[in-house]
Amino acid sequence: MKFYDCSTAPSPRRARVFIAEKGLLDSMERIDVNLREKEQMTPEFAKINPFLTVPVLELDDGTRLNATVAIWRHLEETHPEPPLMGRTPVEKALIAQWQWRIEMDGFQAVGECLRNSVPGMAGRGVTGKHSYEQIPALAERGKLRAERFMETLDEAIGDKPFVVGDAYSVADIDALVFVDFAKWIKVAVPDSCANVARWYASVSERPSAKL
Ligand SMILES: N[C@@H](CCC(=O)N[C@@H](CS)C(=O)NCC(=O)O)C(=O)O
């Protein structure tokens, strides 16, 4: 398998942490796509992913998966141990529910703030082949949403060891990447979110979190 990665970007990290947790990282050819140099915008990369984003996982039969959730799903089916997307029907559903919430309300909020404020992303308000100008009000709103999402995450974690139930899952991967990504827009875990702080200290200890 070929893994199109970017060591500095958050979405590929969501796939990379998952791949590492499955013990598969060394079995893949890893290609680093330099987003700062806009390598994702080249005609060569467009042939690999017409949506011009990373991560991409190319399977041995040539199929290319260009969304993190698709990469997770495929690897969960082909390499079930350890399960990272739930063990029982209810756990699977709750993990899917929280993963979606973290992606929409946490991760995308940070992305919205960055893409609409960083000078290097001028004209790149949205990923892909079309150019979208930055909207400064969206940057402000994204930051506020990210701050508020810390509180939501704190309530979701409560006194549990993980975001959902008693096992590490993709909900933890997304929440971890969200908390680290939020630092880019100077949103830290507030003192009021002691559950997030405790959970974050614990999941950050995992070797995959260092990747
Ligand atoms: N939903 C996609 C999102 C991927 C995505 O947006 N990746 C960003 C890096 S974090 C990217 O490739 N950006 C390219 C750009 O900014 O032009 C996924 O989860 O795979």
Side-chain angles (χ1 to χ4, degrees):
M1 286 183 278
K2 266 192 203 171
F3 176 42
Y4 293 86
D5 194 357
C6 172
S7 56
T8 54
S11 288
R13 186 175 175 221
R14 296 165 61 214
R16 193 163 63 244
V17 171
F18 184 99
I19 293 167
E21 289 281 341
K22 292 279 186 189
L24 295 171
L25 210 49
D26 290 341
S27 69
M28 292 182 186
E29 182 187 346
R30 250 168 97 190
I31 296 131
D32 204 81
V33 181
N34 190 329
L35 298 186
R36 290 201 178 121
E37 296 294 326
K38 305 234 180 318
E39 276 179 18
Q40 80 279 23
M41 308 294 286
T42 60
E44 294 75 36
F45 189 75
K47 287 184 197 135
I48 292 156
N49 178 10
F51 297 106
L52 312 182
T53 56
V54 277
V56 176
L57 184 68
E58 186 175 304
L59 308 182
D60 292 338
D61 71 357
T63 306
R64 294 188 180 117
L65 304 175
N66 60 34
T68 306
V69 288
I71 295 170
W72 286 344
R73 171 51 63 204
H74 179 76
L75 295 177
E76 183 82 349
E77 300 290 334
T78 52
H79 299 81
E81 294 299 327
L84 295 171
M85 300 181 84
R87 297 161 296 185
T88 64
V90 169
E91 201 179 71
K92 287 178 188 178
L94 288 173
I95 289 169
Q97 174 176 291
W98 276 104
Q99 185 278 316
W100 184 85
R101 180 63 56 193
I102 296 161
E103 187 169 342
M104 296 305 288
D105 288 356
F107 202 76
Q108 287 194 4
V110 180
E112 192 172 70
C113 176
L114 266 182
R115 302 197 77 89
N116 287 288
S117 58
V118 172
M121 287 187 155
R124 303 291 309 144
V126 178
T127 58
K129 66 179 177 183
H130 302 293
S131 177
Y132 291 95
E133 288 314 316
Q134 293 178 323
I135 302 174
L138 283 180
E140 245 174 79
R141 191 185 72 175
K143 186 166 186 181
L144 179 63
R145 288 175 61 212
E147 286 165 352
R148 289 179 171 164
F149 190 68
M150 289 286 180
E151 305 283 344
T152 305
L153 192 57
D154 198 71
E155 278 171 38
I157 294 172
D159 59 6
K160 298 191 276 58
F162 299 106
V163 175
V164 177
D166 60 359
Y168 183 83
S169 74
V170 291
D172 296 284
I173 295 177
D174 266 6
L176 169 77
V177 177
F178 158 69
V179 171
D180 284 336
F181 193 26
K183 293 173 191 166
W184 296 25
I185 58 164
K186 300 194 171 32
V187 172
V189 177
D191 291 346
S192 58
C193 292
N195 297 324
V196 175
R198 171 189 48 76
W199 159 89
Y200 177 77
S202 162
V203 293
S204 298
E205 288 293 306
R206 301 173 80 90
S208 64
K210 318 275 185 263
L211 295 166

